[in-house]
């Protein structure tokens, strides 16, 4: 056998031996390795699907704002001009006033729907500004005190991470409003090097273990998927004193550099 062929045979044998040695020694270890591989595949799929959903939400929100929003705004301007004309018929005046009020309600609803699809505040002022807007809206709509503890300079993140964190907080507040019967909510974001620690606490009735395990708890499932999609960890604990959601999110190196600028 020639030297090149002998060297190639030795290299193949060494690789084969390494692969055999690297295989799990027991059936249980093999099952654990397979489970880890399935979990990694699921998280990659969740991340891809969530990216697709966010892109669709962004597209629809912009269509609503740019097309339908502009049309409604133009109609309201025309309605205002029409109302400035003298009208002798009181019934006609009441009809115009009612139409103007309904147009204003439609514009308000459209803005709310578009904001739910893609928070405009994220594009305007970044994550910190968007969370402040979300906190204020939550207090206004539900009458529940909401506190945000965070530093703006620590929340300068990529669009992917900003959107994921905003959605997690948004879903948490929705669950609190629906189920918690809370009087106070505290949202804390703290950054330590390339890890972001997020906690959401309320003083409500506390989530039960049975509620967390329900297959119909889509809000909780959605939060878990968003956290897993960006390789984070999430824990939810409930007691008579309320519910606490604790999340650890590893951030990419470029996010850490960006935040320091």
């Amino acid at each position: 056998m020639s030297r090149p062929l002998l060297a190639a045979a030795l290299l193949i044998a060494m690789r084969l031996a390494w692969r055999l040695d690297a295989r799990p020694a027991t059936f249980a270890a093999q099952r654990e390795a397979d489970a880890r591989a399935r979990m990694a595949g699921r998280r990659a799929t969740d991340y891809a699907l969530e990216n697709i959903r966010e892109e669709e939400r962004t597209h629809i929100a912009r269509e609503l704002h740019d097309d339908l929003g502009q049309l409604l705004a133009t109609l309201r301007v025309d309605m205002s001009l029409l109302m400035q004309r003298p009208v002798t018929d009181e019934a006609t005046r009441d009809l115009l006033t009612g139409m103007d009020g309904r147009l204003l309600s439609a514009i308000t609803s459209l803005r709310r729907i578009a904001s739910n699809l893609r928070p405009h505040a994220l594009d305007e002022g970044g994550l910190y500004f968007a969370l402040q807007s979300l906190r204020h809206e939550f207090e206004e709509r539900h009458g529940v005190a909401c506190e945000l503890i965070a530093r703006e300079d620590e929340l300068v993140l990529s669009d992917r991470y900003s959107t994921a964190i905003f959605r997690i907080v948004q879903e948490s507040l929705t669950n609190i409003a629906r189920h918690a019967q809370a009087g106070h909510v505290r949202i804390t974001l703290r950054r330590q090097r390339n890890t972001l620690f997020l906690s959401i606490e309320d003083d409500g009735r506390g989530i039960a273990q049975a509620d967390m395990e329900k297959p119909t708890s889509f809000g909780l499932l959605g939060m878990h998927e968003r956290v897993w999609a960006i390789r984070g960890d999430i824990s939810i604990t409930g007691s008579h004193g309320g519910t606490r959601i604790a999340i650890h999110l590893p951030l990419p190196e470029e996010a850490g550099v960006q935040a320091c600028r």
Side-chain angles (χ1 to χ4, degrees):
M1 182 180 293
S2 64
R3 287 186 178 181
L5 289 177
L6 179 61
L10 287 173
L11 181 60
I12 293 172
M14 289 173 63
R15 288 184 175 178
L16 181 60
W18 179 83
R19 289 181 179 179
L20 290 173
D21 184 61
R23 292 177 62 187
T26 65
F27 179 70
Q30 180 65 56
R31 289 182 60 185
E32 183 179 351
D34 291 342
R36 286 198 299 268
R38 285 195 298 271
M39 179 60 71
R42 179 188 170 189
R43 291 186 176 184
T45 303
D46 289 343
Y47 168 62
L49 290 174
E50 188 55 40
N51 272 351
I52 293 171
R53 286 194 290 262
E54 282 297 338
E55 288 176 3
E56 285 297 315
R57 292 189 191 106
T58 301
H59 175 72
I60 295 171
R62 286 174 179 165
E63 290 286 325
L64 287 173
H65 181 270
D66 295 342
D67 294 342
L68 189 55
Q70 291 295 330
L71 176 61
L72 288 174
T74 303
L75 282 173
R76 185 144 196 261
V77 171
D78 293 342
M79 181 64 65
S80 298
L81 293 174
L82 186 60
M83 291 177 65
Q84 292 175 10
R85 296 184 178 183
V87 178
T88 56
D89 185 2
E90 189 66 28
T92 303
R93 170 63 63 181
D94 292 341
L95 180 62
L96 290 174
T97 303
M99 291 173 64
D100 183 66
R102 285 189 288 275
L103 268 176
L104 181 59
S105 296
I107 293 171
T108 303
S109 297
L110 177 64
R111 288 174 178 170
R112 176 178 53 80
I113 294 169
S115 179
N116 287 336
L117 287 169
R118 168 65 184 180
H120 195 54
L122 273 177
D123 299 323
E124 285 186 335
L127 179 58
Y128 181 82
F129 176 70
L131 291 177
Q132 286 286 16
S133 300
L134 184 64
R135 177 196 65 79
H136 179 71
E137 180 188 354
F138 177 78
E139 288 185 330
E140 289 289 317
R141 289 187 64 186
H142 304 288
V144 177
C146 186
E147 181 183 7
L148 175 64
I149 302 173
R151 287 175 48 184
E152 185 174 2
D153 62 311
E154 291 186 345
L155 299 184
V156 182
L157 307 174
S158 66
D159 182 69
R160 171 191 170 193
Y161 279 81
S162 295
T163 302
I165 293 166
F166 180 90
R167 294 296 187 192
I168 290 167
V169 175
Q170 185 181 46
E171 189 59 54
S172 300
L173 292 179
T174 299
N175 286 341
I176 290 170
R178 288 177 178 172
H179 309 294
Q181 301 173 11
H184 184 269
V185 180
R186 180 184 292 112
I187 304 166
T188 305
L189 294 102
R190 178 175 55 87
R191 188 170 187 152
Q192 188 173 9
R193 295 186 179 178
N194 286 327
T195 302
L196 186 68
F197 299 90
L198 165 63
S199 69
I200 305 159
E201 303 169 84
D202 67 72
D203 60 355
R205 63 182 182 86
I207 189 171
Q209 185 66 32
D211 293 331
M212 288 189 278
E213 295 172 355
K214 285 181 180 178
T216 54
S217 298
F218 298 114
L220 296 179
L221 289 173
M223 275 193 289
H224 279 86
E225 288 179 358
R226 289 182 189 279
V227 173
W228 291 338
I230 50 180
R231 297 177 176 83
D233 296 313
I234 178 172
S235 66
I236 303 175
T237 55
S239 66
H240 294 298
T243 301
R244 183 175 188 268
I245 301 172
I247 298 170
H248 297 170
L249 296 175
L251 301 175
E253 290 291 337
E254 59 268 20
V257 173
Q258 185 181 19
C260 295
R261 291 177 180 174

Coordinates of all heavy atoms in Angstrom, one line a residue, residues 31-47 224-225 227-229 231-233:
R31 N -30.6 8.4 24.8 CA -32.0 9.0 24.9 C -31.9 10.5 25.3 O -32.6 11.3 24.7 CB -32.9 8.3 25.8 CG -33.3 6.9 25.4 CD -34.2 6.2 26.4 NE -35.4 7.0 26.6 CZ -36.4 6.7 27.5 NH1 -36.2 5.6 28.3 NH2 -37.4 7.4 27.6
E32 N -31.0 10.8 26.2 CA -30.8 12.1 26.7 C -30.3 13.0 25.6 O -30.7 14.1 25.4 CB -29.9 12.2 27.9 CG -29.7 13.6 28.5 CD -28.8 13.6 29.7 OE1 -28.5 12.5 30.2 OE2 -28.5 14.7 30.1
A33 N -29.3 12.4 24.8 CA -28.7 13.2 23.7 C -29.8 13.4 22.6 O -29.8 14.5 22.0 CB -27.5 12.4 23.1
D34 N -30.6 12.4 22.3 CA -31.7 12.6 21.4 C -32.7 13.7 21.8 O -33.2 14.5 21.0 CB -32.4 11.3 21.1 CG -31.5 10.2 20.4 OD1 -30.5 10.7 19.8 OD2 -31.8 9.1 20.5
A35 N -33.0 13.7 23.1 CA -33.9 14.7 23.6 C -33.4 16.1 23.5 O -34.1 17.0 23.2 CB -34.3 14.4 25.1
R36 N -32.1 16.2 23.8 CA -31.5 17.5 23.6 C -31.5 18.0 22.2 O -31.7 19.2 21.9 CB -30.0 17.5 24.2 CG -29.9 17.5 25.7 CD -28.5 17.9 26.1 NE -27.5 17.0 25.6 CZ -27.0 15.9 26.2 NH1 -27.5 15.6 27.4 NH2 -26.1 15.1 25.7
A37 N -31.2 17.0 21.3 CA -31.3 17.4 19.8 C -32.7 17.8 19.4 O -32.8 18.7 18.6 CB -30.8 16.2 19.0
R38 N -33.7 17.1 19.9 CA -35.1 17.4 19.6 C -35.4 18.8 20.1 O -36.1 19.6 19.4 CB -36.0 16.4 20.1 CG -36.0 15.1 19.3 CD -37.3 14.3 19.6 NE -37.3 13.9 21.0 CZ -36.7 12.8 21.5 NH1 -36.1 11.9 20.7 NH2 -36.8 12.4 22.8
M39 N -35.0 19.1 21.3 CA -35.3 20.4 21.9 C -34.6 21.5 21.1 O -35.2 22.6 20.9 CB -34.8 20.4 23.4 CG -35.0 21.8 24.1 SD -36.8 22.2 24.1 CE -37.4 21.1 25.3
A40 N -33.3 21.3 20.7 CA -32.6 22.3 20.0 C -33.3 22.5 18.6 O -33.5 23.7 18.2 CB -31.2 21.9 19.7
G41 N -33.8 21.4 18.0 CA -34.5 21.6 16.8 C -35.8 22.3 16.9 O -36.2 23.1 16.1
R42 N -36.5 22.0 18.0 CA -37.8 22.7 18.3 C -37.6 24.2 18.5 O -38.3 25.0 18.0 CB -38.5 22.1 19.5 CG -39.8 22.8 19.9 CD -40.3 22.3 21.2 NE -41.5 23.1 21.6 CZ -42.1 23.0 22.8 NH1 -41.6 22.2 23.7 NH2 -43.1 23.8 23.1
R43 N -36.5 24.5 19.3 CA -36.3 26.0 19.5 C -35.9 26.7 18.3 O -36.3 27.8 18.1 CB -35.2 26.1 20.6 CG -35.6 25.6 22.0 CD -34.5 25.9 23.0 NE -35.0 25.6 24.3 CZ -34.2 25.8 25.4 NH1 -33.1 26.3 25.4 NH2 -34.7 25.4 26.6
A44 N -35.1 26.0 17.4 CA -34.8 26.7 16.1 C -36.0 26.9 15.3 O -36.2 27.9 14.6 CB -33.8 25.8 15.4
T45 N -37.0 25.9 15.3 CA -38.2 26.0 14.5 C -39.1 27.2 15.1 O -39.6 28.0 14.4 CB -39.0 24.7 14.6 OG1 -38.2 23.7 14.0 CG2 -40.3 24.8 13.8
D46 N -39.2 27.2 16.5 CA -39.9 28.3 17.1 C -39.4 29.6 16.8 O -40.2 30.6 16.5 CB -39.9 28.1 18.7 CG -40.7 26.9 19.1 OD1 -41.5 26.4 18.3 OD2 -40.5 26.4 20.3
Y47 N -38.1 29.7 16.7 CA -37.5 31.0 16.4 C -37.8 31.5 15.0 O -38.1 32.6 14.7 CB -35.9 30.9 16.6 CG -35.2 32.1 16.0 CD1 -35.4 33.4 16.5 CD2 -34.2 31.9 15.0 CE1 -34.7 34.5 16.0 CE2 -33.6 33.0 14.5 CZ -33.8 34.3 15.0 OH -33.1 35.3 14.5
H224 N -43.1 31.2 27.0 CA -42.1 30.2 27.0 C -41.4 30.1 25.6 O -40.2 30.0 25.5 CB -42.6 28.8 27.4 CG -42.8 28.6 28.9 ND1 -43.9 29.1 29.6 CD2 -42.0 28.1 29.8 CE1 -43.8 28.8 30.8 NE2 -42.6 28.2 31.0
E225 N -42.2 30.0 24.6 CA -41.6 29.9 23.2 C -40.8 31.1 22.9 O -39.7 30.9 22.2 CB -42.8 29.7 22.2 CG -43.5 28.4 22.3 CD -44.6 28.2 21.3 OE1 -44.9 29.2 20.6 OE2 -45.2 27.2 21.2
V227 N -39.1 33.0 24.9 CA -37.9 32.9 25.7 C -36.9 31.9 25.2 O -35.7 32.1 25.0 CB -38.2 32.7 27.2 CG1 -36.9 32.4 28.0 CG2 -38.9 33.9 27.8
W228 N -37.5 30.7 24.9 CA -36.7 29.6 24.3 C -36.1 29.9 23.0 O -35.0 29.5 22.7 CB -37.5 28.3 24.3 CG -37.9 27.8 25.6 CD1 -37.2 28.0 26.8 CD2 -39.0 26.9 25.9 NE1 -37.9 27.3 27.8 CE2 -38.9 26.6 27.3 CE3 -40.0 26.3 25.1 CZ2 -39.9 25.8 27.9 CZ3 -40.9 25.5 25.8 CH2 -40.8 25.2 27.1
A229 N -36.9 30.7 22.2 CA -36.4 31.0 20.8 C -35.1 31.8 20.8 O -34.3 31.8 19.9 CB -37.5 31.7 20.1
R231 N -33.0 31.5 23.3 CA -32.1 30.7 24.2 C -32.0 31.2 25.6 O -31.0 31.2 26.3 CB -30.7 30.6 23.6 CG -30.6 30.0 22.3 CD -29.2 30.0 21.7 NE -29.1 29.3 20.4 CZ -29.5 29.8 19.2 NH1 -29.9 31.1 19.2 NH2 -29.4 29.1 18.1
G232 N -33.2 31.6 26.1 CA -33.3 32.1 27.5 C -33.9 31.0 28.4 O -34.3 30.0 28.0
D233 N -34.0 31.4 29.7 CA -34.6 30.5 30.7 C -35.7 31.3 31.4 O -35.6 32.5 31.6 CB -33.6 30.1 31.8 CG -32.5 29.2 31.2 OD1 -32.8 28.3 30.5 OD2 -31.3 29.5 31.5

